[in-house]
Structure formats: C-alpha cells, structure tokens
Amino acid sequence: MQQKLITVQPGDNVAIALVDLVQGDRVQFEGEEIIILSNTKAKHKIALTDLAKEDKIFMYGVLVGKAMSEIKKGGLLTTENVKHQSNAVKEKTTTTGWTPPDISKWKDRTFMGYHRHDGQVGTKNVWLFFPLVFCENRNIERLKDVFEKELNLGKSNKQQNLLRNLLSGTTTEEAVEQVESRRTFDNIEVKFITHQGGCGGIRQDSETLAKLLAGYVKNPNVAGATVLSLGCQNLQIDILKKALNTLDPDLEKPVLIYEQQKMGTVEEMLNKIIVDSFEGIKRANAIQRKPASISKLKLGLECGGSDGFSGISANPALGYASDILAAVGGSPILSEFPELCGVEQELVNRCVNEEDAKRFIQLMKTYEASAEAVGSGFDMNPSPGNIKDGLITDAMKSAGAAKKGGTSPITAILDYGEYVTKPGLNLLCTPGNDVESTTGMVGSGANIVVFTTGLGTPTGNPIAPVLKVSSNTILAERMPDIIDIDTGAIIRGEKGIEEMGEQILEHVIKVASGEIEAKADLLGQDDFIPWKRGVSL
C-alpha cells in the first residue's frame, strides 16, 4: 500500500501529501493518527502539529515560512495561512563534512566525445552562427534558411510535411508520417542564435553579452563560429575579441567575423559568409568522437515548472547524480540564485574556502536588493503553476530546488558570464527564469544539462543537450515527447533516490556519447535568452 504522507527531515512540522486526501481521512503517520481537515491534493502540505499565528514552518530541515493564522493539526497549508520566511544568512560558521558516494563503478567510466585543443571534451560538434547586435538577426535568419534547406540538416519538419502532403492530396493518415532527410554532413550540427541585445542598453549589458557569447564559442560543444556585426553597435568586435582572449588567449577554434558596414551589399556579404563558413563546416565535420573520462562532463543542473514532488523525487535524484560526478572530478553547475533563498547558510558552510562563502553572500544580497529596488523580491518567485501544485513560498520552493546540487563541497562561486574551470560543484549566479538560467550555464561551459520539472516544459539549448526529468509519472505519460526520464517511481516507493540518481547519470552518459538524443533536440528546441541586468537607454 502506498504511503500517503512523507516528511523530508526530522524536525519538519509539515508533511507532503503523496496522494489526494479527502476531508475526514484518518492517516497513520509515524505512530500517530492524523485526521485530514480539508480536501488536500497530492503535492500539498499538511500540518503535523497545531500551529499558532506567527509559528515557524519547517521543511527539508530549514525555515520555509510562518503561519499567518492558526493552522490545526491535519490542516492544509495555503497562500492565505502561510507567508514566506527564511533564516538570515551569516558568515561561514563551519565546514560541512561530506561522505562521497561509492564511485567504484564510475571512476573509470567514459563517454564518446569531441576532444578540443584546450583539453575540454564536447558532447556535440556544432558550428554556431550568431550576431553581435539585434540588427543582424534578419541576416542570421536568412543564413539559417539557406543552410538548413541546402544541407538537409536533421529531420524534416513534421508540420511542413503534413501540409505539403495534404496539398498534394495525400490522406491525413499518410500525411502525418515523418519524412527523413538525408544529411549532407553526418558529424556536425549547424546552429543559429539570435537575441535582442548588443546596443541600446547600458555598456555593461554589452560587455556581459560579450562574455556570454565568448563562453558559447569556448564551450567544448562548439567546433567553430560565424559572427555577424553591424559595425556601430555598443558590442563592438573588439569587445568580443577581448572576452575571447580573457577566456582563452590560445583559442584555436576558427571564429569568422563579418562587419556589414564594411562589406557593401547584403548579397555580397552573405555570399562571402556562406563560402567561408561552408569550408569551416566541412573541416569540422571531420572531427570524430573519442573516449573521454566522465570527469570531462560539466553538468548544468536546472529546474522549471516545479511542483510539490520535485524536491522529494527528481531534484534529490539529480543531486545524487551530481554528487557522483563531483566525486569523479566532473563539474556540476547549480544556478538560479533566487531559488536558493532560505538555504544560503547550508551552501555557505559547504563552500571550500572563506572567500567563496563571502562572494556567495554578496551576490545573493546584491541580487535581492536589485529586485527589491523595483518593487519585487525573492519572496515573489513562485509562479502560479508552482503555487497550484504545492510550492506556496519561495523558501519552500528553494529548499527543494537546492537538492539538485546534492551534498558535495562547493568549489567555486561564479557570477553570470564567468567560466567553469574547477572540478566539483560550481555555483553560478543566474535568474530563476528557466531559459535565462540554462543559457547562462551553457555560456559558462556546461556541455550537457539536466532539467527537472513537475509540470512540464519544452526548454532546450542550441549547443547543449537538455534532458528533462519528471518528478511524477502522470507528467511523463502526458508529455512523453518532452520527458527523457521519469522519477515517479520514487513517489510510489518503488525506487530509491540513489538508484534513480544512477539511472539519470547512465542516461546522461548515453546522450553525451551520441547514442541517444535528448527529447528537446528531437523537437528542435533551441532556446537562447541572455540575462539583461541593466536598463534600456
């Protein structure tokens, strides 16, 4: 019989409903009978003791809120009777001990990747086109249209095939069949990025964007790049070159840069770009996959569309996979700083050195202050979907979200646009916005991303595989074209966190080796949104 309630840590005074509960249900839990006082959907929270107004509410062993009115034992927690509250962070008070997982079967594991001159190893082999300024987006789109059609990149668009076949009189059943295209190049992907930056904002925005784009060039999944500049924009070519030189003074990847205002007509410029880029793509296609230690994986840890199960199934399972990777010398990356609110002290104490601990505190305080300056704050992070599915305060959401980072020591604290160079768990300052965060992690070197979700999201990335992990089986069955891995067996009590974490890592290795594709890649989901910190001028 499936368990009906669960707590995460001893001392928690609320429990998570694992199934729908009806008013009047009598539930036996940890030697006590709890009478359910109102209809309670699975994923929502039940008080385990009488709570008076202003009483503190604990989950995951941390403060996640306070009662705004009396909540009786067995009562449902809601946005009406609970408000966000979290503990203030102090300086590093201790160094958290860590017992790494058993890595005997992982320490010699390899994946088949693309080796680069700087020692990094890619999970993909991509030639990347991008603009320095939004004025060049149209030219990027024209190049995309040319290359995708003439190189027969990937699979034909199902909807194009459907309409084409319907126009020719094919029956609906026959028309929905997918038509495969023959690829001109078998060992290279050609991808295209557009964005709305590069000019019109403050100079710091252009410099930040340059760091991000340089990080995409530096990312081991990229074999080379074609860059379009208008000429008069804030993000000058020299700023990009400076950012590239800072990341890697000895960069050996081909980077082709074109400035429209120096090249005459659009036709002349595009012809030149196509000829040059085609030669670079042909050479990059000759690069082959070779074995590499899984320590070469830089694993982005993301969550979005989270629900009340995310923090007890998908996130801790991913956290265990992260711990294994950290133990073998890989580099997991935990981001989304607004969703670390309430667990700062734990993270501070996990920092290997005092300097990183102080930097983390400062980045968090600066970020929250900037949100409050425009009338918002971290407490406003949970979305309507989060709240509907049981995450009613930011601290509650954050405590579960942080589980993606496992328990390993934190070896580096990075601001947005800084590149991962150290093995072990890296913390990267990004927004909680799914695409902005994923975009930032890949720009900091993530060569693969695992994205947990309870509600479902299609997010992908132009150069890095993004695997989706569902917190519950209902989602996995409803959106099978989006979900790569289902951790619902944890909720049903059929599998443990560690077993599920190992399954996630096995799947990561297969995708990193090119044995299977991430669902987001199959859907052609190439999302790219830079974080714009400043104002428009």
Side-chain angles (χ1 to χ4, degrees):
M1 183 176 179
Q2 184 178 349
Q3 186 177 340
K4 295 183 178 180
L5 294 174
I6 189 172
T7 53
V8 184
Q9 293 287 346
D12 289 357
N13 56 7
V14 296
I16 304 166
L18 296 175
V19 296
D20 290 346
L21 300 171
V22 178
Q23 182 178 0
D25 279 353
R26 295 174 179 268
V27 179
Q28 297 297 319
F29 182 69
E30 296 183 349
E32 290 187 61
E33 182 180 72
I34 297 175
I35 301 173
I36 305 302
L37 301 184
S38 58
N39 292 342
T40 302
K41 292 272 189 187
K43 309 178 186 179
H44 285 263
K45 316 302 181 290
I46 292 292
L48 295 178
T49 184
D50 290 341
L51 297 170
K53 184 178 180 180
E54 301 295 327
D55 276 358
K56 295 180 177 181
I57 296 168
F58 293 90
M59 278 186 65
Y60 301 95
V62 299
L63 178 65
V64 297
K66 68 177 179 180
M68 299 303 292
S69 60
E70 182 182 42
I71 307 173
K72 290 290 187 181
K73 179 180 178 180
L76 174 65
L77 275 63
T78 69
T79 53
E80 284 74 36
N81 60 21
V82 174
K83 184 178 180 180
H84 168 85
Q85 189 176 38
S86 61
N87 282 321
V89 62
K90 303 176 183 178
E91 293 186 0
K92 185 175 170 69
T93 56
T94 184
T95 298
T96 303
W98 185 51
T99 302
D102 180 6
I103 58 169
S104 55
K105 70 177 184 180
W106 300 100
K107 59 184 178 65
D108 297 320
R109 288 292 299 274
T110 61
F111 71 100
M112 297 296 290
Y114 296 97
H115 292 247
R116 307 301 181 190
H117 291 290
D118 61 4
Q120 295 187 103
V121 181
T123 64
K124 284 190 170 193
N125 194 35
V126 175
W127 188 277
L128 184 64
F129 286 75
F130 64 85
L132 292 185
V133 62
F134 55 82
C135 309
E136 292 297 322
N137 283 349
R138 173 61 178 154
N139 288 327
I140 292 290
E141 293 292 351
R142 291 183 65 178
L143 290 165
K144 179 180 180 181
D145 184 60
V146 169
F147 277 91
E148 287 190 344
K149 284 182 179 177
E150 298 307 319
L151 295 184
N152 292 321
L153 299 172
K155 299 175 180 177
S156 297
N157 181 287
K158 290 184 180 181
Q159 284 68 45
Q160 279 184 330
N161 291 331
L162 173 60
L163 181 57
R164 184 181 301 127
N165 291 334
L166 289 172
L167 288 169
S168 67
T170 307
T171 65
T172 302
E173 290 75 15
E174 294 170 331
V176 297
E177 293 181 2
Q178 183 172 340
V179 179
E180 296 285 345
S181 293
R182 180 183 63 82
R183 289 173 62 101
T184 304
F185 295 125
D186 294 326
N187 210 36
I188 185 76
E189 297 178 65
V190 183
K191 292 289 187 174
F192 303 82
I193 285 174
T194 59
H195 58 80
Q196 300 304 314
C199 202
I202 59 175
R203 294 296 192 268
Q204 291 91 327
D205 277 339
S206 292
E207 291 169 1
T208 299
L209 180 58
K211 290 179 181 179
L212 178 71
L213 294 172
Y216 270 68
V217 175
K218 172 75 171 174
N219 189 294
N221 291 358
V222 171
T226 298
V227 184
L228 274 62
S229 167
L230 177 60
C232 58
Q233 72 276 353
N234 286 347
L235 205 177
Q236 290 285 296
I237 291 172
D238 284 347
I239 297 176
L240 176 67
K241 287 182 176 179
K242 180 180 178 181
L244 285 168
N245 187 66
T246 299
L247 278 183
D248 188 352
D250 301 315
L251 183 71
E252 295 190 25
K253 292 181 183 179
V255 181
L256 312 178
I257 303 177
Y258 303 88
E259 186 167 301
Q260 184 173 1
Q261 290 173 346
K262 293 182 178 179
M263 296 191 68
T265 68
V266 171
E267 182 177 0
E268 290 170 338
M269 180 181 73
L270 293 183
N271 288 347
K272 171 68 172 169
I273 291 170
I274 289 168
V275 170
D276 294 349
S277 299
F278 181 72
E279 290 302 317
I281 291 166
K282 281 200 302 183
R283 288 191 291 271
N285 187 59
I287 304 170
Q288 301 292 318
R289 289 184 184 269
K290 297 177 182 178
S293 167
I294 61 171
S295 65
K296 295 294 185 178
L297 292 175
K298 294 180 179 179
L299 176 64
L301 310 170
E302 180 66 30
C303 64
S306 299
D307 70 352
F309 284 165
S310 293
I312 59 174
S313 59
N315 289 347
L318 177 55
Y320 187 73
S322 168
D323 282 347
I324 294 173
L325 190 61
V328 300
S331 301
I333 308 166
L334 181 64
S335 58
E336 301 181 288
F337 273 29
E339 297 178 14
L340 300 178
C341 177
V343 293
E344 295 101 326
Q345 194 63 55
E346 175 198 337
L347 296 173
V348 164
N349 291 342
R350 284 168 59 185
C351 288
V352 170
N353 62 64
E354 186 76 25
E355 182 180 340
D356 278 337
K358 289 180 178 178
R359 191 179 194 211
F360 174 63
I361 294 171
Q362 185 58 49
L363 285 170
M364 287 289 286
K365 288 182 176 179
T366 301
Y367 195 161
E368 185 163 24
S370 68
E372 291 173 349
V374 293
S376 187
F378 285 173
D379 60 310
M380 299 178 71
N381 177 270
S383 69
N386 296 148
I387 294 168
K388 181 182 177 182
D389 269 46
L391 299 176
I392 60 174
T393 75
D394 184 53
M396 189 180 290
K397 179 180 178 180
S398 296
K403 294 297 179 183
K404 304 189 303 293
T407 60
S408 65
I410 295 166
T411 58
I413 303 294
L414 304 174
D415 199 1
Y416 187 80
E418 294 178 344
Y419 204 82
V420 172
T421 59
K422 293 183 179 179
L425 180 62
N426 287 247
L427 263 56
L428 174 67
C429 183
T430 75
N433 177 293
D434 303 345
V435 180
E436 287 179 328
S437 174
T438 302
T439 297
M441 286 192 291
V442 175
S444 289
N447 52 10
I448 191 165
V449 177
V450 176
F451 190 132
T452 67
T453 182
L455 305 176
T457 172
T459 302
N461 184 267
I463 68 168
V466 180
L467 310 181
K468 300 295 173 12
V469 178
S470 67
S471 71
N472 63 89
T473 300
I474 293 173
L475 168 62
E477 292 176 345
R478 186 173 65 246
M479 303 176 79
D481 59 332
I482 284 176
I483 300 301
D484 297 270
I485 306 163
D486 173 29
T487 62
I490 295 174
I491 301 298
R492 297 190 299 274
E494 297 168 5
K495 290 186 179 180
I497 297 294
E498 294 182 5
E499 181 182 1
M500 204 70 240
E502 292 190 347
Q503 184 177 325
I504 290 172
L505 187 54
E506 288 286 2
H507 199 99
V508 166
I509 293 170
K510 288 180 180 179
V511 172
S513 298
E515 295 177 24
I516 54 178
E517 283 190 86
K519 297 286 182 70
D521 286 338
L522 292 172
L523 291 171
Q525 194 79 31
D526 293 337
D527 300 304
F528 179 84
I529 302 179
W531 183 17
K532 187 171 183 282
R533 281 172 151 170
V535 297
S536 290
L537 297 175

